[in-house]
Amino acid sequence: MNKIFPPALETERIILRPLTMDDKPEIFKWTNDPRVSKFMPYTTYKSPDDANFWLENIYTTDGQLDYGFVLKETGQLIGSGGLNYQSEDDSWALGYNLRYDMWGKGFATEISKKIIEYARTHYSGTLITGTFAIENTASKHVLEKLGMKFYKDFEYSKI
């Protein structure tokens, strides 16, 4: 299967680049943390190999802007996320994960702005949607800073 990798992007503090299998140990630092996974649709990872299926199946269509977030200052992978195209309503769904020690530093907003800017200049379907767990008020604030407005409540289950 041919992979379609998004181009690397940069913000002031972060390099956004495609993820690889070599990233599994760093990915495990946030996917194994119940403080992070409690707000995510995936269950808490028990091993770095739990990322295999995900990493094998991303970058299969042009409608996936999935990135690893690398802190320029240290070169460490601190999170992942991006936009995924939703053909049923011609929209892009925003999502992100950050290591717990990176929360509250403005990274989610900085990164999301860059990804949205890229998508709006390179793709059709410029409706951007974002979801958050009701208990995760920090993500709610990120979406508000991005100019998003509340649309509706819905439920999701763990993968």
Side-chain angles (χ1 to χ4, degrees):
M1 170 188 320
N2 288 336
K3 297 280 189 171
I4 302 170
F5 295 102
L9 304 173
E10 279 191 48
T11 71
E12 180 182 333
R13 301 179 292 167
I14 301 292
I15 296 169
L16 291 81
R17 62 152 175 85
L19 293 161
T20 71
M21 286 293 190
D22 292 338
D23 293 320
K24 289 190 311 185
E26 293 302 308
I27 290 170
F28 190 61
K29 289 180 180 177
W30 69 84
T31 56
N32 170 301
D33 188 335
R35 296 169 297 185
V36 176
S37 65
K38 80 183 241 182
F39 297 125
M40 303 307 300
Y42 62 80
T43 57
T44 305
Y45 285 20
K46 304 292 185 230
S47 151
D49 289 337
D50 289 346
N52 286 348
F53 181 80
W54 169 44
L55 292 172
E56 288 167 358
N57 289 285
I58 57 175
Y59 312 125
T60 57
T61 71
D62 193 35
Q64 292 178 296
L65 292 175
D66 286 308
Y67 287 102
F69 309 147
V70 177
L71 189 60
K72 287 181 180 180
E73 182 180 325
T74 64
Q76 291 183 313
L77 184 67
I78 63 164
S80 68
L83 290 170
N84 286 291
Y85 184 69
Q86 312 294 306
S87 60
E88 61 275 2
D89 62 359
D90 192 31
S91 69
W92 290 87
L94 174 68
Y96 49 83
N97 279 279
L98 289 170
R99 283 187 348 215
Y100 185 77
D101 62 327
M102 296 293 131
W103 288 13
K105 300 176 189 284
F107 291 123
T109 303
E110 179 180 329
I111 291 163
S112 296
K113 282 181 180 177
K114 187 65 174 185
I115 294 170
I116 289 169
E117 171 190 300
Y118 177 82
R120 286 210 165 126
T121 58
H122 290 85
Y123 294 95
S124 65
T126 56
L127 174 65
I128 310 290
T129 63
T131 59
F132 63 93
I134 196 116
E135 306 87 26
N136 190 350
T137 56
S139 271
K140 176 184 177 188
H141 294 307
V142 168
L143 298 179
E144 290 170 344
K145 288 179 195 172
L146 295 171
M148 294 186 182
K149 305 288 185 222
F150 176 79
Y151 175 64
K152 68 179 178 179
D153 285 326
F154 74 96
E155 290 187 33
Y156 69 92
S157 59
K158 294 281 188 185
I159 296 171

